[in-house]
Amino acid sequence: MKKTIRDYDLNNKKVIIRVDFNVPIKNGQITDDNRIKESLETIKYAIEKNAKVILLSHLGRIKTEEDKASKTLAPVATRLSELLEKDVLFIPYTRGEEVEKTIGNMQNGDVILLENTRFEDLDGKKESSNDEALGKYWASLGDIYINDAFGTSHRSHASNVGIASKLPNGIGFLIEKELKYLTPAMEDPEKPFTVILGGSKVSDKIGVIKHLVHKADFILIGGGMAYTFLKAKGYEIGSSLLDEENLQFCNEILASYCDKIILPVDSVCTLYLESNEGLIEPIEHIGPDQIGVDIGPATTHLFNKYIELSKTIIWNGPVGVFEQPPFGKGTKKICELLKNNKNTTILGGGDTASAAINFGFKDSFSHISTGGGASLEMLEGKELPGISIITDSTN
Ligand code: AMP
């Protein structure tokens, strides 16, 4: 258990909250404000407790001076102000006199947002390499540090690890919720425990498979990565995705855990990815020109046998090219099957989460993890530095 924002008296304190405002912005317009909404509970709590709220976030990557124009947090401040129904002062700097003066003049309950922390990356990657002096400087601006940016917790940055190592600290409500669901599922999952994996590359999921194959009762594999496993089993996969380098890994896993690894028995196939038409083929009938783009109905039926009996299910990676409606049926069906399971169901990964939300299943699971890379690293059993650095609770 980590200290949380509730463990501190925030009254009259300058509270630095690291939030995840890494939202998609097109032509200055925010196209998805979910991440801003998810940070509201912590920000509102700090306001109610009379804190002076200083918000830090990154937005995208900053590699050149030109990147700054499209990666400013200014539109986020405007949207946050609308959502909070109160003024949010945006400071277009990450450090300096204006930052210090403005913070010095803050009243209790005020909210300010500094410019994108990664603007500091132009000068020797100071934010992303956790530059000691930068972390110390940002820490000097506040009294208490709260990390609520789960999505960057797998990285050691100046705006998380750097500041947290210098100030009394805790986690916010968003990270608390992530840990509430992910920690027990990883440490002591109620059994049967099933993991559903999809997405494009085997290489991205090797760490997860290696870590969870011992803990899980079943690993159901769909998506592009399934075809490398099928190839390893000796099937013709036509022009489907093949991760040749990891064929050997698939072979070894299948040899050691053949009862646990459940592979598709049919596939939606097409002749070219841009097509709107797919044919359902039994796996043994995939032709040399065909590309497998989704799991078929016999596979969802098979997967459901495991889903129905499971007490804990973690799903990471869409099981088809869900961005194209004809090839999104498998992913949608998995959403429906998980919705019917009233036990613990957890979704992780940016693509899986956005697919499920876009298909209308936002509230159908126990938990949808907000962090793509961070939740994947948790599934790999790794410690997240942005959370490890937070003081343990003694309660
Ligand atoms: P990842 O980022 O590894 O989680 O992969 C997500 C991507 O995998 C999505 O963009 C899907 O379109 C893609 N994907 C899922 N199934 C397939 C498939 N059968 N062939 C190619 N790409 C796929």
Side-chain angles (χ1 to χ4, degrees), residues 18 59 70 73 76 112 124 149 152 161 189-190 193 212 229 232 266-267 276 280 308 329 347 353 371 386 389 393:
R18 174 57 162 101
L59 174 60
S70 60
L73 281 171
V76 173
I112 67 166
T152 43
V161 173
E190 201 183 338
F193 172 33
L212 290 182
F229 279 90
D266 64 350
S267 168
N276 265 335
I280 297 162
E308 270 180 341
K329 287 185 191 143
L347 265 68
I389 188 79
S393 166

Side-chain angles (χ1 to χ4, degrees), residues 300-322:
T300 46
H301 186 74
L302 171 70
F303 281 8
N304 193 38
K305 287 190 182 157
Y306 299 95
I307 291 171
E308 270 180 341
L309 58 81
S310 297
K311 290 276 181 343
T312 308
I313 303 173
I314 294 183
W315 177 21
N316 189 300
V319 294
V321 185
F322 73 95

Side-chain angles (χ1 to χ4, degrees), residues 51-153:
K52 296 162 181 162
V53 182
I54 303 160
L55 301 173
L56 288 181
S57 176
H58 79 284
L59 174 60
R61 293 213 171 115
I62 305 292
K63 291 186 181 144
T64 63
E65 196 65 39
E66 291 70 53
D67 289 339
K68 286 182 165 181
S70 60
K71 301 279 163 38
T72 171
L73 281 171
V76 173
T78 308
R79 183 68 190 126
L80 178 64
S81 171
E82 288 165 6
L83 291 167
L84 287 173
E85 297 179 353
K86 76 180 264 119
D87 286 342
V88 171
L89 187 60
F90 175 67
I91 308 180
Y93 304 101
T94 50
R95 62 165 93 202
E97 207 178 319
E98 191 170 332
V99 171
E100 293 150 32
K101 229 167 67 192
T102 312
I103 292 174
N105 290 331
M106 285 177 86
Q107 304 296 311
N108 292 349
D110 280 356
V111 180
I112 67 166
L113 171 64
L114 302 197
E115 185 53 282
N116 184 352
T117 54
R118 288 200 183 155
F119 279 24
E120 292 284 345
D121 278 353
L122 273 187
D123 181 16
K125 286 209 161 270
K126 286 198 162 65
E127 154 73 328
S128 298
S129 67
N130 186 14
D131 177 76
E132 164 88 18
L134 180 60
K136 198 167 163 192
Y137 171 74
W138 277 334
S140 75
L141 303 173
D143 304 309
I144 295 168
Y145 173 77
I146 299 298
N147 186 11
D148 212 21
F150 182 69
T152 43
S153 291

Side-chain angles (χ1 to χ4, degrees), residues 198-201 204-205 223-224 227 241 273 291-294 316-323 351:
S200 47
K201 295 193 221 123
D204 288 350
K205 305 281 158 45
Y227 299 91
L241 271 189
L273 273 177
I291 310 170
V293 282
D294 197 6
N316 189 300
V319 294
V321 185
F322 73 95
E323 298 91 338
D351 275 325

Side-chain angles (χ1 to χ4, degrees), residues 11 73 134 177 233 272 313 344 361:
N11 184 34
L73 281 171
L134 180 60
K177 182 166 177 260
K233 270 192 105 171
Y272 51 103
I313 303 173
T344 302
F361 291 88

Side-chain angles (χ1 to χ4, degrees), residues 50 362 378 387:
N50 274 324
K362 189 174 192 302
M378 268 197 97
I387 296 177

